[in-house]
Amino acid sequence: MRIELRVCQHCLDGDDGHGGHHKSALLQDMVACAEVIQEHKDVLDLEDVHIRKVKDTEQGKPEALPVVAATIQNNQIVLNDTQLVAEGQDGNMLLYANPDDILTVLAGNVDEISKAVPGDVTVDLSPKGAEIISEAGLGADREKQP
């Protein structure tokens, strides 16, 4: 199985006109989770984890998984610069374009890693990211582990 996270580099950096501080913090949460997953990909039996930081000139081109999400804005097709693509062992592709869904999926994977790896693999999330995850009901509670 392989996953690829794509985020806008300008949004990630918090550049003016690219979504503001809240979007930047959420993207930083996504990248931080993806980096933990990348570091521990063998725990989840992942072949590859790609983190692609897209710039305006690249328009969301994939690095490894050939799927691109699009929306229609002002009667024009616009490629999503933030998305998570997962390829299963059966070759099926799952595409997540909603930022809340992306963070929830990535945090869920970090949660699974934390259950299998000794030591701390948690990610310090922004207040908005922590709110999204708390509403999703994720979190490794070692007290409840078998």
Side-chain angles (χ1 to χ4, degrees):
M1 189 165 133
R2 304 183 298 168
I3 63 171
E4 180 173 335
L5 172 67
R6 285 179 230 144
V7 298
C8 172
Q9 180 69 56
H10 301 289
C11 295
L12 184 64
D13 295 339
D15 292 349
D16 289 338
H18 277 266
H21 174 72
H22 291 296
K23 184 173 184 182
S24 176
L26 200 56
L27 294 179
Q28 290 170 10
D29 292 345
M30 290 177 200
V31 171
C33 288
E35 288 172 345
V36 168
I37 295 166
Q38 193 173 46
E39 183 179 337
H40 298 282
K41 66 182 183 181
D42 55 319
V43 172
L44 299 174
D45 201 24
L46 296 172
E47 291 174 38
D48 287 309
V49 177
H50 298 273
I51 303 168
R52 175 112 161 83
K53 298 172 184 170
V54 180
K55 296 182 181 162
D56 286 342
T57 56
E58 299 168 326
Q59 299 183 359
K61 281 179 69 174
E63 179 176 323
L65 299 175
V67 177
V68 179
T71 56
I72 297 176
Q73 297 175 3
N74 299 324
N75 294 325
Q76 299 237 338
I77 296 174
V78 177
L79 300 180
N80 290 21
D81 56 11
T82 301
Q83 61 188 42
L84 176 67
V85 179
E87 177 187 39
Q89 293 175 339
D90 57 4
N92 287 333
M93 299 274 194
L94 297 175
L95 171 67
Y96 303 90
N98 178 300
D100 292 9
D101 294 342
I102 294 169
L103 184 58
T104 300
V105 169
L106 292 172
N109 280 286
V110 171
D111 184 49
E112 289 302 311
I113 291 168
S114 72
K115 293 174 185 176
V117 173
D120 185 17
V121 293
T122 58
V123 175
D124 290 327
L125 298 175
S126 68
K128 181 63 177 171
E131 179 184 330
I132 291 167
I133 298 311
S134 69
E135 289 174 3
L138 297 177
D141 187 345
R142 295 196 187 275
E143 304 275 322
K144 295 182 181 177
Q145 298 298 316

